[in-house]
Amino acid sequence: MAVLSNRAANRATLDRQLLLRRADLGVLDAVEHLVGLQAQAPFPPYTGLWTRLTGFRPPDLADRLLDRSVVRIALMRGTVHLVSSADCLALRPLHQDMLERVVRTAHRKPLDGLDFADLAEFGRALVEEKPRSTAELGTLLLQRWPDRDRLAMLNVIRSALPLVQLPPRAVWGRSGQTTVTTAQRWLDRPLCTDSTLDDLVRRYLAAFGPASVADAQKWSGLTRLGEVFDRIRPELITFQAENGTELFDLPDAPRPGPDPDAPVRFLPEFDNILLAYADPSRIMPPGHKAQLFTVNGIIRAALLVDGQTAGKWQINKSTLTVEPFRRLSAKDKSAIEEEGLKLLSFTEPEVAAPAVRIPDPF
């Protein structure tokens, strides 16, 4: 079995994640290629697409939310993702058991003795009668079950039903509370009945591979995917990672080798590339995860230099501040400033004097 170096795996991932060069793709094609973008917060997907696509502008995504060709729904790892409407209907059934298992485990005590099916059907009737804000839905649930935990009941309904979050939430330049209805009601189509885990694994490899069984399980939140890899093994190729792990890949997927240069890229908060591997070392050097992942579940916006995390960043009005994790060369700083000014022109187009700050970390 051929050994695939960490750098070669990194370049393959960057290529498939549209981070080795910006892609000339439409929003819908890009979102489907990436198998969605994590969207716990409303607006990081805009930056995630800007950093991956040529000529991307906020209305390119906002209009897709408004015309219902993309939606926000809980999927992989039980977190909210921005996906195409077709993927919403295809992928949600594959994660049903996982979503329900997580909620039952997390809320076992406050929901002890409650009929989950009754709760889910009551919730379905409410959100399909008309879209409901989560605040309104919680109030109505408490009227029916006044002695139960409101948040726990909301989480049961979120896991049992394919709830989509409706615009204007996540529409650029607008704001809105979290308002939900079922995917079937919003899209006027049923969930798919022929989706397979085999196809899910193939799509994961196309967007994140080469990768291990543990990597796919980390990305999806699903278990026992080894059975899936074994089933489709004849159509895959395998490599050995530097640490000895078996990596799987699609034969025709791009693997450009270790040589291509990787440009500076600004990843948004919660970017999936940081969450897609049990062993994240191809993207995050040792020690960086602790600086990007907070104890309360926030994943900081990350800076990539030479294809790996090298700092975190944030924008405050007209200034983008980068906090490097290591000393940067003058060449790297120049590239960061150039790309950072482009990012500011995207996020803050009206600012007259944008600036990029890169304080020395040592």
Side-chain angles (χ1 to χ4, degrees):
M1 187 184 301
V3 174
L4 188 73
S5 71
N6 209 43
R7 184 179 172 90
N10 169 273
R11 289 328 194 234
T13 294
L14 294 177
D15 197 343
R16 297 176 207 193
Q17 283 289 301
L18 315 180
L19 294 168
L20 206 54
R21 68 195 69 80
R22 283 184 167 91
D24 186 17
L25 288 175
V27 164
L28 196 58
D29 287 340
V31 169
E32 289 196 336
H33 168 74
L34 296 167
V35 203
L37 293 93
Q38 181 149 319
Q40 281 172 259
F43 300 111
Y46 288 85
T47 304
L49 290 171
W50 172 85
T51 208
R52 289 173 164 93
L53 302 180
T54 57
F56 174 79
R57 289 294 178 262
D60 300 338
L61 175 56
D63 289 348
R64 301 290 75 74
L65 283 161
L66 292 169
D67 70 16
R68 309 190 188 192
S69 56
V70 301
V71 298
R72 291 160 43 84
I73 186 170
L75 286 171
M76 287 72 74
R77 302 179 301 278
T79 55
V80 176
H81 278 68
L82 175 85
V83 294
S84 71
S85 59
D87 275 350
C88 166
L89 299 172
L91 300 181
R92 185 55 170 76
L94 299 178
H95 295 83
Q96 184 68 40
D97 290 345
M98 176 270 291
L99 291 167
E100 292 189 7
R101 182 178 65 252
V102 169
V103 169
R104 287 175 182 272
T105 300
H107 299 289
R108 181 176 300 163
K109 289 185 178 179
L111 296 174
D112 184 42
L114 181 62
D115 187 325
F116 280 32
D118 187 24
L119 173 59
E121 284 310 305
F122 183 74
R124 180 187 295 277
L126 290 174
V127 300
E128 290 193 339
E129 178 184 38
K130 67 175 185 177
R132 308 273 185 176
S133 70
T134 51
E136 180 187 9
L137 183 57
T139 298
L140 293 171
L141 293 174
L142 283 175
Q143 290 176 5
R144 172 74 179 270
W145 290 281
D147 297 328
R148 295 292 183 172
D149 183 274
R150 172 183 171 276
L151 180 59
M153 289 192 291
L154 284 171
N155 280 329
V156 168
I157 291 173
R158 178 177 177 268
S159 68
L161 305 179
L163 297 182
V164 294
Q165 297 185 7
L166 309 188
R169 185 166 178 80
V171 173
W172 189 269
R174 299 171 65 180
S175 61
Q177 59 186 332
T178 301
T179 301
V180 297
T181 188
T182 61
Q184 299 97 316
R185 179 56 57 94
W186 183 244
L187 301 175
D188 196 27
R189 283 180 283 167
L191 297 181
C192 293
T193 58
D194 56 356
S195 305
T196 70
L197 291 176
D198 296 27
D199 286 339
L200 181 68
V201 165
R202 293 184 189 101
R203 292 190 60 190
Y204 167 72
L205 291 175
F208 295 94
S212 68
V213 174
D215 291 333
Q217 293 182 160
K218 171 68 173 178
W219 167 77
S220 64
L222 304 177
T223 58
R224 302 179 66 179
L225 291 186
E227 300 171 4
V228 179
F229 279 87
D230 286 343
R231 187 162 56 244
I232 65 174
R233 180 183 286 269
E235 65 186 71
L236 304 177
I237 59 174
T238 58
F239 300 93
Q240 181 177 309
E242 288 182 1
N243 65 4
T245 301
E246 184 178 30
L247 302 177
F248 297 83
D249 206 5
L250 303 172
D252 297 330
R255 288 177 296 279
D259 297 331
D261 292 332
V264 166
R265 289 290 182 257
F266 287 90
L267 300 180
E269 292 178 321
F270 305 107
D271 197 278
N272 263 341
I273 199 173
L274 303 180
L275 295 157
Y277 303 100
D279 175 8
S281 62
R282 75 175 70 180
I283 297 295
M284 284 188 288
H288 286 194
K289 184 174 181 178
Q291 300 184 74
L292 290 168
F293 288 55
T294 71
V295 294
N296 60 348
I298 301 298
I299 301 169
R300 301 295 190 194
L303 170 73
L304 296 186
V305 175
D306 193 28
Q308 290 199 315
T309 54
K312 56 188 177 182
W313 62 272
Q314 60 181 344
I315 293 175
N316 183 12
K317 297 182 180 179
S318 62
T319 301
L320 187 158
T321 300
V322 174
E323 297 181 43
F325 298 156
R326 58 176 173 82
R327 192 176 296 278
L328 299 168
S329 68
K331 180 180 178 181
D332 288 339
K333 287 182 178 180
S334 177
I336 292 167
E337 182 174 9
E338 180 180 354
E339 185 72 1
L341 288 172
K342 293 177 183 176
L343 175 58
L344 282 169
S345 72
F346 170 75
T347 61
E348 311 291 336
E350 306 302 323
V351 169
V356 178
R357 290 183 61 251
I358 313 172
D360 194 325
F362 301 103

